[in-house]
Amino acid sequence: MQTKVRKAVLPVAGLGTRFIPASKATPKEMFPIVDKPIILHIVEEAVSAGIDTIILVTGRHKTSLEEFFDRNYELEDTLAKQNKDHLLKEVQRISKLANILSVRQKNPLGLGHAVLCAQSAIGDEPFAVLLGDEVMYGKPNVTEQLVNVYNKEKKSTVAVMEVDQSEVSKYGIAETKKNPGKMEFSEIEHLIEKPKPNETKSRLALPGRYVFTPTIFKILRELKPSKLGEIQLTDAILKLAQTEGVLAYSFNAERFDAGDRLGFVTANIEFGLKHPEISEPLKKYIKEKAEKLK
Ligand code: G1P
């Protein structure tokens, strides 16, 4: 069996209803954080973690994602004629970044179902899953941190982070043998999808970065749909934890919930502050604005 994590699944079939009207005709994954679409941030994270094959689990109206990673000869030709070498290099870099495959999730049957759609493209090997709503910034990045734990422990590993009690109902929440501190991991004992605050004492949320052994596919295939008719990834991870074991890893990185309007704006500011060309004028603008808002 292949033991290296070489492939990643990116479920991108969602409708992006939280961003209507912007998401009406443009996939939310194509929205830019400064000058890079969200999907590029996510694919770059996977590639830096040593992944060379990306499986986009797409739906209708998502063809621009595939096109984005394809070559664009017309644009390349124009940039070459205009001697815009740095832009030409960037455009070509993106089309060479990874082997991009796509499979369709024809029915919206949940996140677990989306992952299951990628089974034939993954085969019998460990793989990562990255959700596009969260944009992370860290060196090494979060997927790299998970792959490092997987390589040492040979166990499925999911990223966890502490959230406020008011936030637990937005996430899958893990109960672990002992709450891991920074840069630590511990075995998952229980997992609950979007619990009410009184349903768990844990505040360890899963922000959407996972490394799984292929056993998860067998579990997903046999899983009964939830009350809403969805195949929940969280239910499958719990079953995996009860059989092979799953590690919860407290990662070290900044994260932005780009699937939420405020998080999206914040991510743009934060990445803008790290951007070599706009960092200084943006800082100046923020300082002046803060003064006016006092
Ligand atoms: C999904 C998962 C949830 C996870 C979250 C992270 O929920 O089901 O376990 O914590 O992503 O963003 P969604 O936000 O798609 O409803």
Side-chain angles (χ1 to χ4, degrees):
M1 190 183 111
Q2 172 64 244
T3 54
K4 194 174 173 291
V5 182
R6 304 180 305 168
K7 298 180 179 175
V9 177
L10 276 54
V12 291
L15 293 175
T17 47
R18 280 184 283 183
F19 281 98
I20 287 172
S23 57
K24 188 169 171 270
T26 304
K28 63 176 178 177
E29 295 81 9
M30 288 306 295
F31 294 177
I33 308 276
V34 190
D35 48 10
K36 279 188 193 176
I38 291 175
I39 191 74
L40 181 55
H41 285 277
I42 309 287
V43 168
E44 284 181 344
E45 179 182 329
V47 168
S48 302
I51 283 158
D52 58 27
T53 301
I54 304 285
I55 296 104
L56 301 174
V57 182
T58 69
R60 281 182 295 280
H61 313 303
K62 296 278 179 163
T63 46
S64 55
L65 296 173
E66 289 153 34
E67 268 160 35
F68 181 74
F69 291 102
D70 196 359
R71 291 196 67 176
N72 182 336
Y73 292 105
E74 200 185 338
L75 179 61
E76 286 180 35
D77 188 49
T78 307
L79 293 172
K81 282 185 183 137
Q82 293 174 344
N83 293 322
K84 292 187 173 157
D85 284 352
H86 67 292
L87 293 179
L88 177 62
K89 276 202 185 116
E90 177 62 357
V91 165
Q92 290 173 335
R93 179 187 76 87
I94 292 166
S95 56
K96 290 183 201 144
L97 208 50
N99 180 24
I100 309 277
L101 314 178
S102 87
V103 292
R104 284 272 177 135
Q105 184 185 19
K106 290 181 185 152
N107 298 303
L109 297 178
L111 185 57
H113 176 254
V115 172
L116 187 55
C117 288
Q119 181 180 13
S120 61
I122 299 284
D124 196 22
E125 57 182 275
F127 63 101
V129 176
L130 291 84
L131 303 189
D133 281 348
E134 308 277 334
V135 178
M136 312 274 195
Y137 185 86
K139 284 184 183 162
N141 70 50
V142 179
T143 300
E144 230 171 324
Q145 294 175 38
L146 293 182
V147 169
N148 289 341
V149 176
Y150 175 82
N151 286 341
K152 277 193 217 124
E153 306 298 320
K154 296 286 176 262
K155 255 189 197 179
S156 298
T157 306
V158 304
V160 293
M161 61 180 188
E162 249 184 76
V163 293
D164 284 344
Q165 200 177 4
S166 59
E167 300 260 282
V168 295
S169 58
K170 282 171 56 179
Y171 294 97
I173 299 290
E175 292 174 0
T176 59
K177 281 208 174 127
K178 89 180 159 55
N179 274 3
K182 281 255 176 293
M183 303 297 289
E184 264 191 56
F185 54 83
S186 109
E187 292 272 350
I188 289 186
E189 283 188 324
H190 194 49
L191 261 185
I192 323 165
E193 180 66 8
K194 305 195 176 87
K196 296 194 183 82
N198 61 355
E199 283 178 316
T200 181
K201 285 203 178 79
S202 174
R203 307 248 191 100
L204 286 182
L206 275 63
R209 294 294 186 277
Y210 320 81
V211 170
F212 295 123
T213 64
T215 312
I216 194 98
F217 290 128
K218 185 175 180 295
I219 296 172
L220 283 167
R221 274 199 312 272
E222 291 164 4
L223 210 61
K224 295 216 167 60
S226 69
K227 274 179 230 146
L228 295 171
E230 291 192 343
I231 309 281
Q232 295 270 11
L233 184 61
T234 301
D235 293 345
I237 305 174
L238 177 58
K239 283 233 162 87
L240 192 63
Q242 290 162 343
T243 48
E244 277 188 4
V246 177
L247 302 173
Y249 177 77
S250 285
F251 61 90
N252 193 0
E254 290 175 66
R255 63 157 283 269
F256 307 97
D257 183 2
D260 162 83
R261 282 173 291 194
L262 179 61
F264 178 75
V265 174
T266 314
N268 265 288
I269 295 170
E270 292 287 345
F271 279 82
L273 289 170
K274 296 182 207 306
H275 194 288
E277 279 166 40
I278 64 164
S279 164
E280 286 310 316
L282 180 61
K283 254 185 229 162
K284 187 167 170 279
Y285 168 77
I286 292 171
K287 277 186 195 148
E288 285 168 7
K289 190 77 189 172
E291 277 303 311
K292 280 190 196 144
L293 290 174
K294 266 184 191 164

